[in-house]
Amino acid sequence: MGALAGRRILLIVSGGIAAYKSLELVRLLRFEKAAVSAVLTSGGEKFLSALSLQALTENNVATDLFSLDAESRMGHIELSRAADLLVVAPASADLLAKMAAGLADDLASTVLLATDKPVLVAPAMNVRMWVHPATAANIATLAGRGVHIVGPDEGPMACNEYGPGRLAEPPAILAAITALLSAGPLAGRHALVTSGPTHESIDPVRYIANRSSGRQGHAIAAALAALGARVTLVSGPVALADPPGLSVRRVETAAEMLTACEAALPADIAVCAAAVADWRVAEASGRKLKKEQGRAPPALTLVPNPDILAALAAPGPLRPRLVIGFAAETDDLRDNAEAKRRRKGCDWIIANDVAPGSGIMGGEDNAVLLISEAGVEEWPRLPKAEVARRLASRIASALAP
Ligand code: CTP
C-alpha cells in the first residue's frame, strides 16, 4: 500500500462496456495513494456516471460539457500538465484511431494531443475491431511513438464472442502504471518472458512434456520487474506461484504459448526461457486411446511446433529491441549455442549444460555462458535467482539510453 504516493494520474475513460472496470482501477490507484483525476468522454458517459468517478477519485471529473463550458477552470493543457502519467482505460477503437491520426475534436483527444507526458493505453473492444488492420496499424503507430500499451486480454466478451479485446484486468493495469512510474532502470520498459515446459496432448489424459520447472524463467521475470519493467510472463504448466505484480498468462501447448506471446507485443525485451516441446502429436486423439488385447501400441506421428524464439526474433516492426534465448545442450555447449543464436536470429543466448549429472534441469543452480555478437562470457555456478538478477541488470545496461 502506498507504492504510488505523491504520483498524479490522469485517467481518461472512453466508451465501452468495460468502462465499469475503470472504477476498480481508481480504487486500486487510491489504495496505492496515487492522486487521480479523470476525463470521461461522451462515449464513456453512456456507460459510467461522472458522479461515480468523482466519488472514487475524490476529484472533479472533466467531461466535454463541463470542460468546454469552463475552459478557464479546467483547461486541457492544465489537465495534462498536472499529471505524471496519462492512462486511457478503457481505450476504445475510436479513441485509439483519433490518437494515431492526431485528431483533437473532444476533450480526451485534445488532452492526449496536447500532452508531453507518458501515456498508457488499455484497449478494449470487440474482437473483430481489435483484429481489424486499421486498429492494428493504429496500435503499431502509437507503439512506435512510445505510447505504452497494456492488454487487451483474451476471453469471453460482452458481445458473446471470444477472443482478444477484453480490457486488461485492473491489477494488470495497476502493475503497468507502477512499472511506468517506478524509478528502476527498466521503468517504462515492457518485458515478455516465457517460462516452464509445454504439454502436448496425445489424448485427453496423456501428454508429452519435459523436465523444466520454470524456476529460471520465473526468476528472470521477477528480476526484470524488480528493476521497474512491466513484465508479461507466459508460462507453461508449472508448480510455481505467479510472481506478484506481473501479468501472467498460463498456457499448455507451444501453439498457445506463441499466440500469447504475439498478443503481448509490443515489448522492448523478450526472454525465451521456456523449454518448448519441439514436436507435438500430429493429431491428438479426442478420446482416450485404449489398449486392446493383441493390438500393437499406437505409433505417434510427430510434427514440428512453431519456434517461438525465432518468431519473436524475426525482423519486423514489432521485434523487441533485445531478444534473448536459452540453449540447453549436452555436447559442444559453446559452438552449438552460438550456432543456435545465429539460426534463431536472437541477440543473446544464455547457454547451459544440461548433461545428466549437472543437476541443472529442474535444480536450484545454473552455470551459464552469455553469448552475444560481442563474444562469450562465462558466469560461475550461481543460484537461478542470482543468474536472473545478473541477467536483468545486463539487460538494463544494454537498454540504458
Ligand atoms: N524455443 C522456442 N520455441 C521452440 C523451441 C525452442 O521458443 N519451439 C526457444 C527456447 O525457449 C530457448 C531456445 O529456443 O530459448 C532454444 O531451445 P532448445 O530447446 O535448446 O533448442 P532447439 O531449438 O530445440 O534446438 P535443438 O533441439 O537442436 O537443441
Side-chain angles (χ1 to χ4, degrees), residues 194 272-278 305-309 325-329 340 343-344:
T194 70
C272 292
V276 183
D278 289 310
N305 263 331
D307 191 314
I308 297 159
L309 173 60
F326 274 72
E329 308 286 345
K340 197 168 283 177
R343 193 169 66 243
K344 300 205 179 198

Side-chain angles (χ1 to χ4, degrees), residues 281-300:
V281 177
E283 269 180 59
S285 169
R287 300 174 149 205
K288 188 179 170 206
L289 299 173
K290 301 290 284 177
K291 50 180 185 312
E292 280 158 31
Q293 218 60 48
R295 266 184 64 178
L300 297 179

Side-chain angles (χ1 to χ4, degrees), residues 4 85 173-184 186-190 224-225 227-231 245:
L4 294 172
L85 175 71
I173 304 176
L174 177 70
I177 292 170
T178 312
L180 280 167
L181 293 177
S182 92
L186 288 175
R189 307 279 190 189
H190 178 207
L224 290 166
L227 295 190
R230 171 165 74 86
V231 179

Side-chain angles (χ1 to χ4, degrees), residues 306-330:
D307 191 314
I308 297 159
L309 173 60
L312 292 173
L318 288 180
R319 186 195 193 276
R321 241 175 87 191
L322 193 56
V323 180
I324 303 171
F326 274 72
E329 308 286 345
T330 52

Side-chain angles (χ1 to χ4, degrees), residues 128-194:
R128 309 224 171 272
M129 293 167 81
W130 174 250
V131 299
H132 194 285
T135 304
N138 290 335
I139 287 287
T141 301
L142 294 172
R145 280 186 206 144
V147 169
H148 303 277
I149 298 156
V150 54
D153 284 353
E154 186 168 327
M157 310 190 73
C159 48
N160 288 329
E161 291 196 74
Y162 186 96
R166 280 163 60 104
L167 182 71
E169 288 302 323
I173 304 176
L174 177 70
I177 292 170
T178 312
L180 280 167
L181 293 177
S182 92
L186 288 175
R189 307 279 190 189
H190 178 207
L192 168 63
V193 179
T194 70

Side-chain angles (χ1 to χ4, degrees), residues 195 214-224 240 243 384-386 388-389:
S195 183
R215 278 203 192 101
Q216 187 63 84
H218 277 55
I220 291 167
L224 290 166
L240 303 172
K384 287 182 175 172
E386 188 50 35
R389 276 193 287 273

Side-chain angles (χ1 to χ4, degrees), residues 93-103 112-113 134-135 137-143 145 147:
D94 178 63
L95 185 51
L96 292 169
K98 282 184 184 172
M99 289 172 72
L103 294 183
L112 286 160
L113 191 64
T135 304
N138 290 335
I139 287 287
T141 301
L142 294 172
R145 280 186 206 144
V147 169

